[in-house]
Amino acid sequence: MAYYRQLGSVPPKRHTQHRDPDGHLYYEELMGEEGFSSDSSLLYHRGVPSAIIGAEVWELTDQTRTPNHPLKPRHLRLHLLFPVVEERGTSVPEASVDAVTGRRLVLANNDVRISYVVTGTDASPYYRNAIGDECVYVESGSGTVETVFGVLSYRAGDYVLIPRATTHRWLPGEASRLYPIEANSHIAPPKRYLSRYGQLLEHAPYCERDLCGPTEPFTVEGTDVEVLVKHRVSNLPGGVGGTRMTYATHPFDVVGWDGCLYPYTFNIEDYMPITGKVHQPPPVHQVFEGHNFVVCNFLPRKVDYHPLSIPVPYYHSNVDSDEVMFYVGGDYEARKGSGINIGSISLHPGGHAHGPQPSAIEASLGAEYFEESAVMVDTFAPLDLGEGGIAAEDPAYAWSWAGRGPDADGPDGGPAVFSNS
Ligand SMILES: [Fe+2]
């Protein structure tokens, strides 16, 4: 993120003395990417940012990965992972978990991990991800995220972008359905949207005004504060492990910062879809990119206006990608008859063509508008299933284009006849 911001108290010249009203020096920290060669910010702390008094193992939830083998398209019903009950007219999770430790791993490879969690209103522990940036899509709910840079508010439709190693915690104001996309790299707007100096260009579907960062510093007094750190551990599943660090003074002690590295939110309502006379390919829907993966969103829009256009997609073999669609709103035209619904994920792996259910093609002719919202992650390396992905699978999906599959008694155990066949 190359958009400069400055908040709170910073000295006029970097790397010079900066003191509080009583004359005590603030401690300057450079938080920067790619070894002093990319975006960075300078933060001014009241306490010493490296002063820890304890470090213990933090046991993560199950990070086991199971290969997609035999290769199949998959339908994962994420809403099954966190049962809800009705209380005073709203849905709340049966068991309250927080936005960090409650995550269940759905899909993962060595570049990105996708998980899912439905929170109650409990605050998460203080946390930072030292493996890469996080992009958390808010399917529903609202609240705030306190960070060392200041406070973000979040609402349904937001992507919450948290740079690597940013200490933060989630405080849901209500039950929140969250879809964390954790990178092993940085997550940023696609390079083709940016000028050579980093400004979002005119053809980009969003601009700097749409990115909501913290607006004032946020400081908390405290000592002996625990922070959960997710980091690389070579001998654990997925190379991912955790440490519980205890800080001598509260990590939220930054009185001012400036730079081009900070957390922000971006709401899908601020994404201006690009449409065409015939079907436009998914790259026009791209919102972010990380190393070896992209994030796209398919949003309510006018559709193709050629008189003979077919508004739903053609069948496609993305020979270099696994495609993960998370259906979050509206009425998904191309998937009518597949069992896909709000809260579903479809995984369409590289090496297998996919596209609409056949009946959806004719049904789409003459459509002028699609009322649909989906968040897509395309990865360039194959994705494994996490324990949450396996628990949420609809085994009939792979056969839904043909309308028949193996016998119910066969090795795959799927039913032989489908309601949409
Ligand atoms: Fe696709």
Side-chain angles (χ1 to χ4, degrees):
M1 177 47 57
Y3 176 33
Y4 175 84
R5 291 179 189 239
Q6 177 184 323
L7 291 188
S9 173
V10 302
K13 198 76 184 157
R14 61 184 175 180
H15 318 321
T16 60
Q17 295 174 33
H18 186 34
R19 296 179 184 273
D20 70 14
D22 296 327
H24 300 120
L25 276 174
Y26 290 121
Y27 300 96
E28 183 185 54
E29 175 197 8
L30 177 99
M31 190 167 161
E33 298 177 342
E34 299 177 16
F36 299 92
S37 302
S38 187
D39 297 343
S40 65
S41 285
L42 286 166
L43 298 84
Y44 294 88
H45 293 267
R46 291 196 295 229
V48 177
S50 52
I52 54 171
I53 58 171
E56 297 169 359
V57 170
W58 163 38
E59 298 284 357
L60 300 181
T61 53
D62 188 353
Q63 299 292 303
T64 307
R65 287 164 36 180
T66 304
N68 183 9
H69 187 214
L71 189 70
K72 285 194 295 187
R74 310 268 181 167
H75 170 202
L76 314 176
R77 298 158 295 181
L78 298 193
H79 286 193
L80 298 183
L81 296 177
F82 293 89
V84 294
V85 292
E86 293 296 314
E87 262 183 28
R88 293 186 292 276
T90 56
S91 294
V92 296
E94 245 173 36
S96 193
V97 297
D98 70 71
V100 170
T101 65
R103 296 177 187 184
R104 294 185 67 176
L105 188 66
V106 176
L107 295 164
N109 62 22
N110 290 336
D111 302 312
V112 64
R113 295 177 304 284
I114 297 171
S115 55
Y116 190 64
V117 59
V118 183
T119 74
T121 52
D122 291 346
S124 78
Y126 294 104
Y127 162 70
R128 66 173 177 268
N129 186 330
I131 300 174
D133 293 356
E134 292 194 357
C135 170
V136 180
Y137 179 74
V138 180
E139 181 191 354
S140 65
S142 61
T144 56
V145 184
E146 296 173 351
T147 83
V148 70
F149 291 91
V151 179
L152 304 170
S153 60
Y154 74 83
R155 62 190 169 100
D158 272 349
Y159 295 100
V160 181
L161 274 291
I162 309 279
R164 183 178 189 167
T166 298
T167 303
H168 65 283
R169 70 169 180 165
W170 289 77
L171 296 100
E174 57 182 335
S176 298
R177 294 184 173 275
L178 305 176
Y179 183 70
I181 302 164
E182 301 178 16
N184 280 21
S185 59
H186 298 300
I187 300 175
K191 284 194 181 63
R192 69 178 189 282
Y193 290 176
L194 301 172
S195 76
R196 62 185 165 133
Y197 298 114
Q199 183 178 7
L200 284 158
L201 292 166
E202 275 296 307
H203 72 265
Y206 59 94
C207 76
E208 285 81 358
R209 294 182 196 179
D210 304 320
L211 310 178
C212 302
T215 55
E216 55 187 4
F218 178 67
T219 59
V220 180
E221 296 286 342
T223 57
D224 300 12
V225 179
E226 285 188 350
V227 177
L228 303 182
V229 183
K230 188 177 287 181
H231 59 98
R232 290 175 285 200
V233 181
S234 60
N235 63 345
L236 290 178
V240 178
T243 293
R244 184 186 305 272
M245 288 187 172
T246 306
Y247 280 80
T249 55
H250 204 293
F252 292 171
D253 65 350
V254 172
V255 299
W257 62 267
D258 77 335
C260 296
L261 179 66
Y262 48 84
Y264 61 93
T265 65
F266 170 68
N267 195 279
I268 56 171
E269 285 181 7
D270 291 321
Y271 188 96
M272 301 292 115
I274 295 167
T275 58
K277 193 166 183 178
V278 295
H279 190 81
Q280 296 296 294
V284 302
H285 303 287
Q286 190 177 353
V287 58
F288 298 118
E289 67 185 8
H291 177 67
N292 272 349
F293 74 93
V294 298
V295 181
C296 302
N297 41 210
F298 298 83
L299 300 171
R301 63 191 182 280
K302 288 188 171 182
V303 291
D304 324 342
Y305 49 90
H306 188 286
L308 295 177
S309 68
I310 298 176
V312 292
Y314 34 80
Y315 293 92
H316 45 290
S317 274
N318 301 337
V319 297
D320 295 322
S321 307
D322 274 18
E323 178 189 298
V324 183
M325 291 281 272
F326 178 39
Y327 303 84
V328 298
D331 181 15
Y332 220 81
E333 291 292 330
R335 310 319 319 281
K336 277 196 166 72
S338 66
I340 298 279
N341 214 325
I342 303 302
S344 290
I345 272 184
S346 61
L347 166 64
H348 294 137
H352 175 258
H354 69 273
Q357 267 51 39
S359 60
I361 300 174
E362 284 282 356
S364 77
L365 302 181
E368 295 188 349
Y369 195 82
F370 281 171
E371 186 66 46
E372 61 185 27
S373 298
V375 171
M376 182 176 86
V377 177
D378 262 19
T379 66
F380 297 126
L383 285 159
D384 298 333
L385 292 150
E387 64 78 27
I390 291 170
E393 186 170 14
D394 166 12
Y397 178 69
W399 332 119
S400 63
W401 289 271
R404 61 192 176 91
D407 291 341
D409 299 334
D412 279 276
V417 178
F418 300 87
S419 59
N420 59 301
S421 58

